[in-house]
Amino acid sequence: MSGVPGLQEDCEALLGAFQEADTVRFERFAELWRERRFHTIFHGRMRALERNKITKKTLELAQQYFLPPYAFQIRVGALYLLYGLYNTQLCQPKIQIRIALKDWPEVQSFQQDLIDSQHYDAAYIFRTLRRARAFHFTAMPKLLNYRTKKKIQENECKEEFKDPSNRVSSLITNDVLEELMNIHEHYQKMKCAISADKSHPDKALSLIKDEFVVSLKDIALEHQEWQQKRLKLLLKAKETDEMPNRVEEETSLRSEGSERADALARIKHKSYSAVVEASKSRRHRQVILESSESGSDYGKSPRRSKKSSRRPQPAEKRGQIQAEKETVTCHIGMPVITEEDSSDTEEVPLSKRRRRR
Amino acid sequence: MAAEAVEYEAGETHTRVFRVGALGSGWQQCLQPRDLSLAEEEEEEEAAGAVAEELGCTAETAAELRALCSVDTLVSADQERDPEAIPEDSGLETLRFRKKALQRREERIVVDRACRQETLTYEMESHAIGKRPDDAADLVEEGELLLTLNVFYPVIFQKHKEHKPYQTVLVLGSQRLTELRDSLSCVSDLQIGGEFSSEPDRAPEHISKDIYKSAFFYFEGIFYNDSRYPECRDLSRTIIEWSESRDRGYGNLQSVKMEDYTFNDLSLRIGYPYLFCHQGDCEHIVIVTDIRLIHHEDCLDRNLYPLLIKKHWLCTRKCFVCKMYTARWVTNKDSLAPEDPCFFCDVCFRMLHYDAEGNKLGDFLAYPYVDPGIFN
């Protein structure tokens, strides 16, 4: 499904303003909403069918911001946004908000967080939505129609909205450090117990650095500080609008990527371009030089008629780091049957056959 | 202990295998009876005390909350009552794009009105919404699962190569596979076999639906064969034998009876293509696009399920001669016709190919033709 043009920008503008306001109060959100007259987002001469479709897409987009990995404030903003959109929609009967089973535990813990931290307005709003049965309880957030060839536009969610994903600190938590400390002490005691001198472990038993737990903690802290500094720099860069810098970065990345892609393409071309032309009697089984560039798939996909053209795609395209990517479909196909006639030969376009004669 | 939730498999185009019924029980464990209730809308205002208890705040706060968080705070009282007009000075990007699109539409279209396809699509989508049965026994149960299936048409035309047309059917989790099979209408079921050029008046005796009753569904390595009638044969036997004859990498394929299984019993993936085969070789791809809990605003009448909510509009082929009536006959190797195959309506067919006494003129083969657009 293609998105509603302009909708993502509007939602992100509203959520961004809410984030800057640095509060989670619904009053503030309602102010921002009223400023923008956000309820008019459903306006415009639309007949019922189109209106249903647009409302569904709108709610789907807003629902994405409600789940992790977004920051707490953004998620509260998204909750308010969903509340607003659900109640100001023009569809009759109303379109519901989809929640998948896999996301429900996070939603529950979010609600519990809200209650625990006494954000009563947010908790009340969630409760109201739930009481109004505004949710569809589904298996997956979106409808899945096996659209493998569709260019999936990677939803570039803004960096500022996300919680800085600190994998290091999530691994080396306080509990883990405490546990390590305990084990380390226990270990030292054991070493002392079996040594000759009861107060000191034997020299021969010193196999690890004694201070390693402390240094581990320091390293983890350092990493966290570095990450925060980096985030600040990023924000500063965006503010002062250092476009030339960013463009340079992008182009350097792009050139790196395309260089490598060029080299790869050259090597592949050399090894695979040698296709022996079969004798006339076996011409119907002629091996066809299939391009290995993105765009063709290897395994038999269930809908063979959807195969894209066989023209080798220009190498530059692969190097570009674009938001739009084609999904790789290769491995999802059925197992390739070896002893049968490769059915690719049936699809040789007529023009190719004529050329060989 | 929460049941294992459904997750995407690699590539995010479909999920991993799971048992449909497990989703239902998974959700029921997480939710309260209030969430699952199918009662009609209630407008009662709840007591501030109930709110206070659940949120852990005081009753005054609860009353305050109700005022603070009401929907009225989101809509300013006076403006924008008219949903048709786009406000002039809006800062929303969405509206800017929409306005441009509307302007373009105004320039290009003379009369902006729903065409009959759009009316049909909308009607199909919404005709059953909110329907409740007269008989309470026919009411859908709470906690019932609703599956959305896309059943694709078998490829007939060249123009359908890129986007295969499909029909969308809603089924309940507790319904049997046979109920879905009976509800699927395919033009191949109505075909009449046989060549009738010498006796065009002889009424065809059986349509294919009555003669060839076998069918099967294929989900995740299991063939569900229809065995309700004595004429039904196991169409999947050929495939199973083929797959077992050598190591073809398909693992163990099984064959079971379709009428013994409901959708809740199945294990399948969402978004993954499966197969429905009938008439021996008429194959339809089936994809389950969505499974969710039933909601009080859905159609709650059991008898209306499986419910067709979307259908592809196929243009009917008209008679070559009059271009008015739908084609009922198709001829091959016809010395009197300009093309092969050629389509005729009943009247034009007889007028061209038979004389006043009913003798056959010219040399041709004639077959009764059922147009795919017959279900429009």
Side-chain angles (χ1 to χ4, degrees):
Chain A
M1 282 208 283
S2 55
V4 180
L7 184 65
Q8 191 170 355
E9 285 82 12
D10 288 332
C11 288
E12 287 185 352
L14 180 56
L15 290 174
F18 186 64
Q19 192 182 38
E20 265 172 47
D22 210 16
T23 169
V24 285
R25 295 278 77 80
F26 180 68
E27 287 177 275
R28 190 76 185 93
F29 182 86
E31 256 177 55
L32 294 167
W33 173 286
R34 276 196 306 270
E35 257 172 53
R36 289 170 172 72
R37 287 173 291 166
F38 214 78
H39 69 287
T40 57
I41 208 152
F42 293 119
H43 286 191
R45 242 181 24 242
M46 282 189 277
R47 288 187 290 269
L49 190 66
E50 198 186 336
R51 194 165 50 227
N52 279 348
K53 204 166 70 161
I54 299 243
T55 312
K56 278 190 194 141
K57 288 186 195 167
T58 309
L59 286 174
E60 188 184 297
L61 182 71
Q63 182 251 15
Q64 285 171 15
Y65 292 104
F66 183 47
L67 301 166
Y70 291 102
F72 181 77
Q73 204 177 11
I74 296 295
R75 290 178 72 181
V76 177
L79 172 63
Y80 296 153
L81 182 64
L82 281 171
Y83 179 66
L85 289 172
Y86 179 77
N87 283 307
T88 56
Q89 67 176 288
L90 302 166
C91 295
Q92 198 53 248
K94 287 195 149 62
I95 306 284
Q96 263 70 27
I97 303 167
R98 291 173 65 95
I99 299 246
L101 182 61
K102 64 181 173 76
D103 299 323
W104 186 251
E106 280 146 5
V107 172
Q108 284 287 74
S109 61
F110 182 67
Q111 170 75 341
Q112 200 51 49
D113 280 344
L114 290 175
I115 295 181
D116 293 339
S117 23
Q118 300 188 340
H119 293 308
Y120 293 127
D121 45 8
Y124 179 76
I125 283 183
F126 180 76
R127 191 171 172 281
T128 317
L129 277 175
R130 196 164 160 183
R131 274 183 74 90
R133 292 178 285 178
F135 294 110
H136 266 167
F137 300 108
T138 71
M140 299 307 284
K142 291 193 200 175
L143 263 60
L144 299 167
N145 203 4
Y146 204 66
R147 291 208 176 280
T148 48
K149 286 295 170 72
K150 196 162 177 152
K151 281 202 163 81
I152 291 184
Q153 196 142 25
E154 285 223 340
N155 210 347
E156 283 194 10
C157 31
K158 296 167 92 163
E159 275 297 319
E160 303 96 74
F161 283 8
K162 286 202 204 175
D163 247 344
S165 61
N166 205 340
R167 293 215 184 109
V168 175
S169 70
S170 63
L171 190 62
I172 306 183
T173 59
N174 276 334
D175 292 336
V176 170
L177 280 174
E178 228 183 273
E179 190 74 25
L180 278 174
M181 206 66 211
N182 288 338
I183 296 176
H184 188 66
E185 279 179 19
H186 195 68
Y187 178 62
Q188 294 287 75
K189 283 204 198 98
M190 292 295 289
K191 279 203 284 191
C192 291
I194 62 172
S195 316
D197 178 4
K198 293 295 170 184
S199 58
H200 264 331
D202 264 341
K203 276 278 157 52
L205 289 172
S206 64
L207 297 161
I208 58 165
K209 287 204 191 114
D210 284 340
E211 300 302 314
F212 92 99
V213 182
V214 181
S215 42
L216 186 64
K217 187 176 61 136
D218 288 335
I219 294 173
L221 267 172
E222 223 181 278
H223 174 88
Q224 201 169 9
E225 276 168 30
W226 169 83
Q227 209 176 33
Q228 282 176 349
K229 233 186 282 179
R230 184 171 153 272
L231 189 63
K232 278 204 199 98
L233 270 173
L234 231 140
L235 286 171
K236 219 172 41 167
K238 279 198 174 159
E239 272 171 45
T240 59
D241 213 17
E242 282 172 24
M243 277 314 290
N245 228 348
R246 300 273 302 292
V247 169
E248 269 178 33
E249 249 185 59
E250 276 181 21
T251 47
S252 66
L253 282 168
R254 201 178 294 155
S255 55
E256 268 179 43
S258 63
E259 261 178 45
R260 193 166 171 275
D262 278 336
L264 271 174
R266 255 181 278 130
I267 297 173
K268 279 193 181 162
H269 193 71
K270 260 194 256 169
S271 52
Y272 292 143
S273 58
V275 172
V276 178
E277 179 160 319
S279 65
K280 283 217 170 60
S281 61
R282 300 279 285 173
R283 209 49 76 72
H284 67 284
R285 276 181 156 244
Q286 170 68 43
V287 173
I288 295 156
L289 178 61
E290 214 178 281
S291 112
S292 62
E293 312 279 339
S294 67
S296 55
D297 36 343
Y298 299 108
K300 287 190 202 170
S301 51
R303 295 193 229 158
R304 272 188 306 187
S305 53
K306 270 187 156 195
K307 255 201 173 119
S308 51
S309 72
R310 296 249 179 87
R311 269 173 286 129
Q313 306 224 346
E316 304 87 72
K317 274 203 180 163
R318 290 195 86 196
Q320 273 178 17
I321 301 171
Q322 288 181 358
E324 295 183 274
K325 289 193 226 154
E326 272 190 44
T327 51
V328 179
T329 68
C330 325
H331 53 281
I332 301 180
M334 299 230 287
V336 178
I337 315 297
T338 43
E339 77 272 21
E340 304 240 353
D341 243 316
S342 160
S343 45
D344 288 345
T345 55
E346 288 161 21
E347 287 183 22
V348 176
L350 226 47
S351 55
K352 257 195 176 163
R353 229 183 257 145
R354 279 205 204 103
R355 240 187 281 130
R356 292 211 187 280
R357 254 161 246 279
Chain B
M1 176 48 193
E4 228 181 79
V6 184
E7 285 285 351
Y8 282 117
E9 215 169 74
E12 296 224 343
T13 54
H14 56 274
T15 66
R16 56 166 184 73
V17 181
F18 68 101
R19 204 178 71 82
V20 175
L23 181 76
S25 37
W27 266 123
Q28 294 205 6
Q29 281 175 6
C30 300
L31 298 174
Q32 290 162 359
R34 245 208 100 81
D35 299 307
L36 301 169
S37 144
L38 295 178
E40 310 216 16
E41 276 299 339
E42 339 131 340
E43 279 299 332
E44 25 112 333
E45 287 239 337
E46 44 167 354
V51 178
E53 205 184 302
E54 213 177 288
L55 297 183
C57 63
T58 65
E60 294 99 47
T61 323
E64 230 183 277
L65 283 173
R66 192 185 301 155
L68 223 61
C69 303
S70 102
V71 185
D72 303 324
T73 59
L74 293 172
V75 187
S76 35
D78 44 334
Q79 314 152 334
E80 276 103 32
R81 279 298 167 196
D82 177 21
E84 298 288 305
I86 297 186
E88 282 302 321
D89 52 346
S90 172
L92 296 173
E93 286 295 311
T94 319
L95 292 180
R96 195 167 63 85
F97 283 106
R98 200 172 289 162
K99 200 173 202 167
K100 255 197 270 179
L102 274 175
Q103 276 170 351
R104 251 182 289 145
R105 212 162 80 182
E106 257 172 65
E107 288 164 21
R108 288 164 51 201
I109 302 181
V110 178
V111 180
D112 200 359
R113 190 189 59 181
C115 63
R116 50 187 184 153
Q117 268 91 341
E118 188 182 326
T119 320
L120 172 75
T121 317
Y122 178 66
E123 269 306 305
M124 290 206 73
E125 226 179 69
S126 56
H127 76 284
I129 290 184
K131 278 215 173 109
R132 280 163 192 267
D134 301 320
D135 184 1
D138 292 334
L139 194 67
V140 176
E141 276 178 19
E142 293 181 359
E144 180 80 75
L145 286 174
L146 189 69
L147 292 93
T148 314
L149 295 135
N150 283 358
V151 181
F152 289 76
Y153 293 81
V155 169
I156 313 173
F157 305 118
Q158 289 288 86
K159 65 182 176 182
H160 290 157
K161 264 186 170 174
E162 278 301 305
H163 296 285
K164 254 180 136 156
Y166 56 88
Q167 38 178 322
T168 308
V169 184
L170 295 177
V171 284
L172 298 171
S174 59
Q175 288 191 302
R176 297 184 185 282
L177 292 176
T178 43
E179 294 180 56
L180 175 65
R181 181 250 196 277
D182 292 333
S183 78
L184 289 176
S185 51
C186 173
V187 69
S188 62
D189 280 335
L190 304 173
Q191 302 286 9
I192 300 159
E195 204 272 313
F196 289 105
S197 59
S198 1
E199 62 268 298
D201 295 323
R202 198 178 80 173
E205 291 171 11
H206 298 286
I207 56 173
S208 302
K209 190 168 189 171
D210 301 328
I211 309 177
Y212 309 115
K213 295 212 179 94
S214 333
F216 71 78
F217 280 102
Y218 170 78
F219 292 110
E220 290 299 318
I222 306 179
F223 290 93
Y224 299 87
N225 283 284
D226 193 356
S227 50
R228 291 174 291 170
Y229 309 101
E231 301 99 4
C232 291
R233 289 164 40 189
D234 186 355
L235 296 173
S236 61
R237 200 158 47 93
T238 335
I239 305 177
I240 297 180
E241 282 170 4
W242 169 83
S243 122
E244 284 173 356
S245 61
R246 290 190 222 188
D247 179 21
R248 301 193 191 252
Y250 283 104
N252 237 353
L253 296 174
Q254 298 167 18
S255 166
V256 298
K257 291 191 183 191
M258 196 197 279
E259 56 270 21
D260 294 339
Y261 287 81
T262 64
F263 278 96
N264 279 329
D265 302 327
L266 299 178
S267 291
L268 41 71
R269 301 183 159 116
I270 299 184
Y272 198 72
Y274 295 112
L275 193 70
F276 169 62
C277 178
H278 65 137
Q279 299 290 324
D281 64 351
C282 183
E283 295 175 346
H284 301 252
I285 294 183
V286 174
I287 300 185
V288 180
T289 53
D290 180 34
I291 305 184
R292 62 174 172 83
L293 286 178
I294 196 99
H295 188 261
H296 74 279
E297 278 178 1
D298 293 324
C299 170
L300 296 176
D301 187 350
R302 279 201 89 89
N303 296 325
L304 293 175
Y305 285 100
L307 180 65
L308 189 64
I309 55 169
K310 179 173 155 64
K311 191 166 67 179
H312 189 83
W313 175 288
L314 289 161
C315 289
T316 55
R317 223 191 270 266
K318 303 286 192 293
C319 168
F320 184 80
V321 179
C322 61
K323 309 254 196 296
M324 263 200 325
Y325 293 103
T326 310
R328 298 259 319 276
W329 290 93
V330 61
T331 58
N332 290 115
K333 300 194 186 122
D334 195 347
S335 47
L336 300 165
E339 54 187 33
D340 193 327
C342 196
F343 298 90
F344 298 96
C345 68
D346 204 38
V347 174
C348 299
F349 175 68
R350 287 169 201 280
M351 275 188 1
L352 178 61
H353 295 97
Y354 302 90
D355 64 16
E357 278 87 49
N359 300 319
K360 180 170 162 179
L361 303 169
D363 188 23
F364 61 93
L365 299 167
Y367 305 92
Y369 175 72
V370 183
D371 191 83
I374 198 172
F375 294 115
N376 280 348

